[in-house]
Amino acid sequence: LHQIGKLRHDANLRWLYQGEQKPRGRKRRYDGKVHVEDVSRWSLAGNMNETQVYTAIVNSAHFKRDLRVVSLVKRCGSKVKTALLFSTDTSLDAMTLVTYYKTRFQIEFLFRDAKQFLGLNDCQARKEKALHFHFNASMTALNLLKLEDRQQQSGDRRVISIARWRTRK
């Protein structure tokens, strides 16, 4: 399985050496430290809204392997906001990586809402079947609340409040 996640802006990343190798001795593997602000060595993968998406395959000292790293750069007036996403699958497309990372957060929001408002952690059963039933009931209740909210909203997408729906019910 491959991992997808977010890196710190000061992560220890190294460029892979692409030049001609020496005829004798150990081959060069790295070509210096990656500086996120310098996008000259990154390849532009596309644009999403007002965000530029750059990508490169680099080596991570922490993971001890090569990673596909995606740099999201958004200019807000005079400020530049950046985020570094990574995948251990170097063949993964940059835009697909961003989509997977967004989807991951949607799944985490589902579990957060189920834990905070619908009692996902409040089961005292010990049998496997009873635990499965409780988890499925909590997630089903969350999905039904989201469906009812979508059916009642008027075209424009807004943030759903599970706490408010729980109070109504």
Side-chain angles (χ1 to χ4, degrees):
L1 296 175
H2 294 287
Q3 184 177 0
I4 293 175
K6 187 174 183 179
L7 292 170
R8 293 171 44 138
H9 69 281
D10 61 347
N12 187 9
L13 302 173
R14 304 175 283 202
W15 292 108
L16 299 176
Y17 186 74
Q18 303 292 331
E20 191 174 320
Q21 297 286 350
K22 314 181 266 187
R24 294 179 49 190
R26 184 175 180 195
K27 307 296 181 204
R28 270 184 96 172
R29 292 194 59 203
Y30 311 117
D31 193 21
K33 188 170 175 69
V34 173
H35 298 285
V36 180
E37 305 84 28
D38 181 23
V39 294
S40 62
R41 294 181 74 175
W42 297 78
S43 59
L44 182 66
N47 292 320
M48 292 178 58
N49 301 333
E50 299 163 1
T51 305
Q52 293 177 321
V53 180
Y54 295 97
T55 185
I57 297 177
V58 297
N59 181 273
S60 171
H62 176 74
F63 289 104
K64 298 181 179 108
R65 64 185 304 169
D66 294 343
L67 302 174
R68 161 77 62 190
V69 177
V70 174
S71 176
L72 303 172
V73 179
K74 184 174 185 176
R75 287 169 176 49
C76 299
S78 62
K79 293 184 180 181
V80 177
K81 296 181 180 181
T82 61
L84 287 177
L85 307 179
F86 76 92
S87 172
T88 55
D89 183 9
T90 56
S91 63
L92 189 63
D93 179 51
M95 301 307 262
T96 307
L97 175 65
V98 173
T99 305
Y100 287 169
Y101 189 75
K102 284 183 179 180
T103 305
R104 175 179 164 251
F105 264 98
Q106 295 301 318
I107 294 169
E108 286 185 20
F109 289 147
L110 289 176
F111 280 102
R112 182 202 63 187
D113 290 342
K115 284 180 180 180
Q116 288 179 354
F117 305 114
L118 299 175
L120 184 67
N121 290 344
D122 298 336
C123 183
Q124 295 182 2
R126 294 179 184 231
K127 292 185 180 178
E128 188 175 354
K129 284 179 98 175
L131 287 171
H132 282 291
F133 178 80
H134 178 76
F135 298 150
N136 286 330
S138 292
M139 297 306 271
T140 302
L142 178 63
N143 287 330
L144 290 174
L145 286 176
K146 285 183 171 260
L147 177 66
E148 189 172 347
D149 184 69
R150 282 238 172 106
Q151 289 173 345
Q152 288 187 2
Q153 68 179 269
S154 59
D156 60 332
R157 298 193 51 102
R158 66 184 197 293
V159 178
I160 180 174
S161 172
I162 300 298
R164 188 173 295 152
W165 273 104
R166 191 180 92 183
T167 305
R168 284 184 205 158
K169 295 296 181 182

